[in-house]
Amino acid sequence: SQQGEEDPQALSIQEGENATMNCSYKTSINNLQWYRQNSGRGLVHLILIRSNEREKHSGRLRVTLDTSKKSSSLLITASRAADTASYFCATLLSGGYQKVTFGTGTKLQVIP
Amino acid sequence: DAGITQSPRHKVTETGTPVTLRCHQTENHRYMYWYRQDPGHGLRLIHYSYGVKDTDKGEVSDGYSVSRSKTEDFLLTLESATSSQTSVYFCAITADQNTEAFFGQGTRLTVV
C-alpha cells in the first residue's frame, strides 16, 4: 500500500473560497512536499516542509505538519479557477537513501 | 524549467515485447526516479537511483528493471510488456535531501 493518502479524493469549491486538503502517511519522514498536476501534465513542486517544522507559507499556500499524527494539510486561500488541478503530497522517508513516495492525490475543482 | 526529458512521449507496443523508456537530465542531479501513474493510485515508485550504477526498488518494481550507466540517463525497461503495464510513466530528478523534485513530461505507454 502507498505511503501517503490524501483526503478528500475530490473537492469542488467556488472561486474565492479556501480549499483544504489533508495527507496522512505511515512511516517517519525527513520532509513532506506538496505538488500540483494539471491534467495530463507533469507535476510541479509547490512547497516543502521539513520534519522539524510545523507550518510554512508560500503566497496563498499554507502547509502544516504534525509528525505525531503523521499528517499534513495544504490550505489554498482565495482560490482561483486556475487552481483547478490534482494535488499530491510526497514524503522523503527517514533513514536509508532518498526514496520519495507519493500519495493518491486530491482532485480540486474551482468553479468560476 | 529543469532540464529533464523523457522519450518516447507516446508508445504502443504488443504484449510480450521488451520496451525501454529513457529519462535524460542536464542538471547533474544525483537522484533519479521512475513512477507510474494510474487512476485511483496516484504516483507509485517503480525504481530509483542514488548515483551511477546505484539503484533500488520502489513499491511496484516487479516486471521492471533499470540502469544508470551515466549521471544524465536513467533507463526503465519492461522486460516483457503486459497489459497491466499500460500507464503513464514519469521520471523525476532531485539534487539531494530537502530539495524539490523536477518531473519530466511523462510517457504514455499502451500495451495491446
Side-chain angles (χ1 to χ4, degrees):
Chain A
S1 61
Q2 290 183 245
Q3 157 77 335
E5 297 280 343
E6 280 92 338
D7 172 58
Q9 291 187 358
L11 180 60
S12 184
I13 60 173
Q14 295 291 128
E15 200 166 30
E17 293 180 339
N18 296 341
T20 299
M21 289 159 261
N22 303 296
C23 169
S24 59
Y25 56 91
K26 297 173 183 170
T27 58
S28 295
I29 62 171
N30 277 324
N31 67 52
L32 186 143
Q33 304 172 47
W34 284 91
Y35 288 80
R36 183 185 73 213
Q37 184 182 36
N38 291 95
S39 181
R41 309 286 293 273
L43 279 74
V44 174
H45 182 263
L46 296 176
I47 196 165
L48 180 152
I49 186 165
R50 293 176 171 77
S51 59
N52 60 354
E53 298 175 312
R54 291 295 166 259
E55 188 171 312
K56 204 160 182 181
H57 297 256
S58 177
R60 292 184 296 114
L61 306 179
R62 173 179 169 254
V63 169
T64 61
L65 178 64
D66 186 335
T67 53
S68 67
K69 294 181 179 178
K70 292 187 169 59
S71 68
S72 172
S73 68
L74 171 68
L75 169 67
I76 304 174
T77 60
S79 63
R80 305 166 182 168
D83 295 327
T84 294
S86 291
Y87 292 81
F88 295 88
C89 68
T91 52
L92 174 65
L93 304 183
S94 60
Y97 294 104
Q98 185 143 334
K99 189 171 176 177
V100 179
T101 57
F102 282 78
T104 50
T106 292
K107 185 171 274 192
L108 173 66
Q109 181 185 28
V110 181
I111 302 166
Chain B
D1 289 345
I4 175 171
T5 55
Q6 293 181 228
S7 58
R9 293 293 312 281
H10 302 271
K11 186 170 181 68
V12 179
T13 192
E14 293 186 349
T15 299
T17 60
V19 177
T20 295
L21 308 183
R22 181 182 184 232
C23 178
H24 178 76
Q25 61 144 330
T26 58
E27 304 295 325
N28 202 35
H29 283 353
R30 178 181 175 188
Y31 301 91
M32 299 184 76
Y33 308 82
W34 276 108
Y35 296 90
R36 60 178 289 175
Q37 184 173 31
D38 305 288
H41 291 280
L43 276 83
R44 291 181 290 176
L45 181 64
I46 305 171
H47 282 280
Y48 67 106
S49 169
Y50 45 92
V52 174
K53 292 187 168 46
D54 292 322
T55 65
D56 202 355
K57 295 179 180 179
E59 307 161 88
V60 290
S61 59
D62 287 348
Y64 301 95
S65 62
V66 290
S67 67
R68 191 165 177 204
S69 58
K70 41 186 182 172
T71 299
E72 55 266 36
D73 289 323
F74 192 32
L75 304 180
L76 176 71
T77 297
L78 287 66
E79 292 136 11
S80 177
T82 67
S83 58
S84 65
Q85 293 175 312
T86 291
S87 187
V88 180
Y89 292 84
F90 285 98
C91 175
I93 60 174
T94 61
D96 55 27
Q97 269 190 327
N98 292 317
T99 60
E100 64 186 281
F102 297 97
F103 280 80
Q105 318 95 308
T107 295
R108 186 172 295 274
L109 176 68
T110 303
V111 183
V112 298

